Amino acid sequence: MNDAASANGSHSARGRGAGARPGADSRRAAATRTGPGGRPGSGKFSEAAGGHGPGPEKSRRFQAVTRDTARPEGGGRAAPGDAPAPARQWPLLAVLGATGLGLLLVAFDAFRVGTLLIGLAMIGGAALRWALPSVGMLAVRSRFTDMFTYGGLGVSIVLLALMAQPKAWLKIPFLDDILHFTVR
């Protein structure tokens, strides 16, 4: 290979033929997407890799790896960071403890009282979510969604426990009429 051929890029050590376009490697490097610290897959063009424009551009593709998710509103610690792990999650443990006790009562044949305790635990979870600024892992979605879900499930469970047969503690006449109309 002569010096003139290697100077104009018609031949190279990689074995490109005489018909290869000069500068193809620089265009390939320009399309390299790199993330923070030069890692690929962040969906941004690196200026160091020869990207176009003055700064990084957003890609139209999704990121290859999700690196972080948003914490729910009020999803921080319920106790200081130096407290032991159970103390930091006391709202969730209180709801789970009351629910577990209710399930234990149901297992020992106190159906109505156990089910009422489960429903009251859910209503208590809604009240904790409303009253406390930070409830740890009891926060799943937004504050409104959590309160609506916990409260709605709790009220439904309590009402069903009160209306359960035999000898219902709560009788709602129009529900009896609907039942008799549908079952006949």
Side-chain angles (χ1 to χ4, degrees):
M1 176 160 53
N2 62 17
D3 291 330
S6 64
N8 69 12
S10 62
H11 295 291
S12 73
R14 291 189 181 162
R16 284 186 305 191
R21 296 187 315 247
D25 285 334
S26 65
R27 271 192 269 348
R28 192 174 304 129
T32 303
R33 296 172 196 260
T34 59
R39 291 182 302 219
S42 74
K44 296 183 179 180
F45 284 106
S46 170
E47 201 169 336
H52 303 289
E57 297 178 24
K58 294 230 178 197
S59 171
R60 293 173 54 196
R61 292 184 177 202
F62 290 110
Q63 292 183 354
V65 177
T66 301
R67 301 208 194 301
D68 195 10
T69 57
R71 177 183 286 181
E73 172 189 351
R77 294 181 173 138
D82 58 346
R88 290 193 308 258
Q89 298 299 329
W90 72 266
L92 176 68
L93 292 176
V95 171
L96 287 178
T99 303
L101 183 61
L103 288 172
L104 192 64
L105 288 172
V106 169
F108 286 120
D109 213 20
F111 167 76
R112 195 176 312 271
V113 175
T115 311
L116 280 172
L117 187 57
I118 292 170
L120 291 174
M122 296 298 289
I123 293 171
L128 286 172
R129 189 70 173 101
W130 173 73
L132 298 176
S134 183
V135 290
M137 291 191 330
L138 189 62
V140 178
R141 302 283 180 209
S142 70
R143 189 177 306 272
F144 174 78
T145 303
D146 285 345
M147 288 182 350
F148 183 76
T149 304
Y150 295 148
L153 287 173
V155 167
S156 300
I157 291 171
V158 166
L159 287 176
L160 288 172
L162 291 174
M163 292 186 292
Q165 298 294 330
K167 299 179 186 173
W169 291 1
L170 176 67
K171 294 186 181 193
I172 302 176
F174 73 87
L175 290 180
D176 285 336
D177 295 338
I178 292 173
L179 178 67
H180 292 295
F181 178 74
T182 57
V183 176
R184 285 193 189 197

